[in-house]
Amino acid sequence: MNKLFTLSLTSAQALAFAGCTGTSGDTQKSSAQASASSQANAPYAERYRPQFHFTPRENWMNDPNGLVYHNGEYHLFYQYNPHGNKWGHMSWGHAISKDLVHWEELDVALPEDQNYMIFSGSAVVDHYNTSGFGTKDNPPMVAIYTGHKQQPAKGQNQQLAYSLDDGRSWTKYQDNPVLDENMENFRDPKVFWHEPTERWIMVVALSTDYKIAFYSSPNLKDWTFLSHFESPASELGIWECPDLYALPVDGDENKTKWVLEIDLGAGEEGSVAGGSGGLYFVGEFDGKRFTADESTLPEHAEGPHQWVDYGKDFYAAVSWSDIPEEDGRRIWVGWMNNWQYAQELPTTPWRSSQSIPRSLELASYNGGLTMTQEPVKELQMLRKDQREVSNLTLTNETRSLEDWGVHGKALEMTVRFEPGTADTVGLNVRTGNSEKTVIRYNVNDQTLALDRTQSGEVDFHPEFPGVHVAPMPLEGGKVELHLFIDWSSVEVFGNDGAVVISDKIFPEPSSQGVEVFAEGGTATVEQLNAWPLKSIW
């Protein structure tokens, strides 16, 4: 039987305790939540339920874990509370997809036990059966995760579980833990096979020491310390959920650089938009040590790192292992939430969603190299009939696009503005009932902003309303944006994904309008394409 318990911690204590899995909260589902769940007449159609982002049918979810592709299926594991709508009883939930778009939720893969909660980690396919858990004909899927000791003990270590039936059932390794440094904050292992050295590499966070540790292993069981990475100028919040991968530069598969991504728990400073978020370094990895290459930093970089996302709701992102070589993409997904208000989102019977999957590359940008994120092409299968607006002139005005049939709660849009003499151009989305979410480009400052102060229900937490701003140079005299709007989120990709802003919103269901605007002069909407999107449910 799982051990049930309740934690009562200050915010700082909770962050130090919880790490990438986040702060603690009530671990029992309230009677009101249970009632709301049982009375739901239309599962997956509740108020604010995302229609093309993954959410569990019910209960709390946070970090994506163990993303791996195997036998034609994309596996999405995630931090999950099987017993309630707030953080607690951390286990690995599990969903699968054949197309990165439609998801089938399966049974809990790795439940907590009386000794450990199951914190964040990764999964791999052990093709050479180095672990001995399977055979070469039936290689095991191996999950590598942090075991968090149940109270009153403290401490975190790295453990294994394996599956021989495509992730449907799991066996915890009898000799766990496989790596224990007797530390209280030692978590979130990302493991991958390093072909040049023919061994496994583990990247793991020493969270309150602001360090990333690298280990190697021949068999996933026996680990040897290699090196540390630290960057004092980037100690803006507790370090968590690292990932490390090589990306092609400007699409050239023969020219690659390594990216070390690190997430920040909410700290004194936190991420660029406040609270939790992610940053990354571009550099080299020689099989033992990662070295950041500051010569690759673009002009807009404010430190030795760059920001993953300029919104408040993209955290703990992790990339898929074992994507087929013929595909060749590096694809990841992040948790759309922020630890400042994560447990207060006004949703039931579920809480939290994952982002849309995004494909990653490195591109020459603004005098350096920037990691670009593009929505995966598979999302295009959700498009309904296209709506189009072209050569629309705006002079100090806001125009509704209702006459062009552009409206809705779930939309994909691409838009290209020619700013002309205007100081500002942009869009208002999910408008209605005195509500709007504003995407604004400031020509003089060359910044892109998302303003959700009037986006609907915003007063459930004081840190939720706000304006989130990203530097975005004007390229070729045009402003080009790619937007995904769901029932409770907006994701904006600018300059071919070099700039991303991801934010939750909670508008009235009836707020479905879209407007374009220009301020301070005359601008042109050269081309706007919009597609209402089908539900994945």
Side-chain angles (χ1 to χ4, degrees):
M1 179 179 294
N2 289 338
K3 181 179 180 181
L4 306 182
F5 61 94
T6 301
L7 301 174
S8 179
L9 303 174
T10 67
S11 296
Q13 289 171 328
L15 280 168
F17 169 84
C20 191
T21 57
T23 59
S24 64
D26 294 335
T27 59
Q28 302 290 340
K29 179 186 284 186
S30 70
S31 59
Q33 290 169 333
S35 175
S37 177
S38 64
Q39 294 174 7
N41 294 321
Y44 302 107
E46 304 93 341
R47 183 184 183 93
Y48 303 142
R49 171 76 78 169
Q51 294 299 289
F52 56 89
H53 294 75
F54 176 77
T55 53
R57 177 165 177 150
E58 61 180 359
N59 296 334
W60 168 271
M61 174 183 70
N62 55 288
D63 311 347
N65 295 156
L67 306 188
V68 63
Y69 180 88
H70 187 48
N71 286 344
E73 295 175 332
Y74 296 91
H75 292 262
L76 167 63
F77 300 92
Y78 46 89
Q79 292 286 281
Y80 186 62
N81 180 1
H83 304 291
N85 208 13
K86 288 193 174 184
W87 187 94
H89 302 289
M90 284 294 96
S91 304
W92 275 23
H94 187 195
I96 56 171
S97 174
K98 293 186 180 298
D99 59 15
L100 286 169
V101 177
H102 300 88
W103 295 93
E104 177 187 355
E105 186 174 350
L106 301 181
D107 293 338
V108 171
L110 297 175
E112 68 166 351
D113 58 38
Q114 63 182 357
N115 296 315
Y116 291 99
M117 284 198 284
I118 312 299
F119 273 23
S120 292
S122 52
V124 297
V125 179
D126 184 9
H127 293 285
Y128 304 116
N129 194 35
T130 63
S131 62
F133 293 143
T135 66
K136 289 186 177 180
D137 292 333
N138 185 24
M141 187 186 297
V142 181
I144 309 96
Y145 59 89
T146 294
H148 179 88
K149 293 181 181 178
Q150 300 276 29
Q151 295 287 67
K154 292 185 177 181
Q156 296 175 344
N157 53 49
Q158 314 319 317
Q159 303 187 16
L160 303 181
Y162 62 92
S163 173
L164 300 176
D165 58 359
D166 296 329
R168 270 56 176 184
S169 64
W170 291 83
T171 302
K172 294 177 181 177
Y173 179 43
Q174 63 182 3
D175 291 330
N176 278 333
V178 296
L179 179 58
D180 192 346
E181 301 284 24
N182 297 311
M183 299 179 69
E184 186 174 342
N185 294 287
F186 177 56
R187 55 180 172 266
D188 313 331
K190 179 61 189 288
V191 171
F192 64 94
W193 179 257
H194 188 245
E195 193 65 42
T197 57
E198 296 185 335
R199 58 185 181 178
W200 298 101
I201 299 294
M202 179 191 293
V203 189
V204 63
L206 283 63
S207 298
T208 54
D209 293 333
Y210 304 101
K211 292 181 180 179
I212 300 299
F214 299 88
Y215 293 82
S216 68
S217 173
N219 57 14
L220 294 169
K221 301 173 182 177
D222 304 299
W223 293 93
T224 301
F225 173 74
L226 298 174
S227 66
H228 283 136
F229 173 82
E230 51 191 318
S231 178
S234 304
E235 295 176 6
L236 306 174
I238 293 172
W239 282 18
E240 302 175 330
C241 302
D243 202 350
L244 179 68
Y245 40 82
L247 292 178
V249 176
D250 294 327
D252 186 349
E253 297 291 342
N254 296 315
K255 182 181 180 183
T256 61
K257 283 281 195 179
W258 285 81
V259 173
L260 174 62
E261 193 272 345
I262 299 167
D263 289 281
L264 305 177
E268 291 185 5
E269 297 180 66
S271 70
V272 63
S276 49
L279 54 78
Y280 67 95
F281 304 86
V282 178
E284 303 293 344
F285 180 67
D286 62 5
K288 181 178 181 180
R289 185 180 304 276
F290 175 83
T291 304
D293 182 358
E294 295 196 10
S295 71
T296 64
L297 289 169
E299 294 177 10
H300 64 264
E302 299 176 355
H305 58 263
Q306 298 184 61
W307 295 108
V308 170
D309 193 300
Y310 287 85
K312 260 181 117 73
D313 295 310
F314 188 78
Y315 179 69
V318 66
S319 62
W320 261 275
S321 299
D322 292 279
I323 296 290
E325 187 174 344
E326 58 270 23
D327 182 321
R329 291 176 295 174
R330 175 66 56 173
I331 301 169
W332 75 355
V333 68
W335 180 47
M336 290 203 74
N337 211 334
N338 190 301
W339 279 118
Q340 289 181 331
Y341 45 73
Q343 303 196 83
E344 308 303 324
L345 297 187
T347 63
T348 187
W350 86 102
R351 186 168 277 129
S352 292
S353 64
Q354 305 296 349
S355 72
I356 56 173
R358 306 171 180 183
S359 179
L360 308 178
E361 291 188 4
L362 282 171
S364 298
Y365 181 74
N366 201 21
L369 290 178
T370 286
M371 184 172 66
T372 63
Q373 305 178 65
E374 292 278 20
V376 295
K377 60 188 178 183
E378 287 88 344
L379 289 163
Q380 295 177 16
M381 71 177 68
L382 298 179
R383 291 175 174 176
K384 297 181 184 178
D385 292 343
Q386 179 176 324
R387 280 74 162 160
E388 183 175 346
V389 181
S390 59
N391 297 318
L392 176 62
T393 299
L394 303 168
T395 302
N396 285 325
E397 63 181 311
T398 298
R399 291 280 298 274
S400 169
L401 298 183
E402 184 66 33
D403 288 345
W404 288 267
V406 179
H407 58 85
K409 295 189 292 182
L411 287 170
E412 178 187 359
M413 289 196 294
T414 61
V415 59
R416 182 174 68 251
F417 290 96
E418 199 284 309
T421 62
D423 296 324
T424 305
V425 295
L427 305 97
N428 300 323
V429 301
R430 297 300 306 271
T431 66
N433 297 321
S434 300
E435 297 176 347
K436 61 181 177 179
T437 297
V438 184
I439 297 100
R440 178 186 297 110
Y441 185 79
N442 186 305
V443 179
N444 298 318
D445 294 342
Q446 296 197 33
T447 57
L448 179 69
L450 193 153
D451 180 346
R452 65 179 181 186
T453 57
Q454 303 173 71
S455 61
E457 190 169 352
V458 299
D459 59 359
F460 60 87
H461 193 281
E463 296 292 343
F464 185 82
V467 182
H468 309 135
V469 182
M472 193 174 98
L474 190 63
E475 292 194 330
K478 312 290 184 183
V479 178
E480 297 196 42
L481 305 174
H482 192 177
L483 298 86
F484 280 80
I485 301 156
D486 207 342
W487 286 14
S488 57
S489 65
V490 177
E491 291 160 278
V492 184
F493 302 82
N495 285 359
D496 295 323
V499 177
V500 187
I501 303 179
S502 303
D503 276 327
K504 301 292 290 183
I505 57 171
F506 298 100
E508 291 281 345
S510 59
S511 295
Q512 299 187 31
V514 177
E515 301 169 336
V516 289
F517 63 83
E519 299 170 352
T522 298
T524 303
V525 179
E526 290 190 343
Q527 188 69 36
L528 184 148
N529 296 317
W531 299 268
L533 297 180
K534 305 170 189 174
S535 172
I536 65 173
W537 309 119

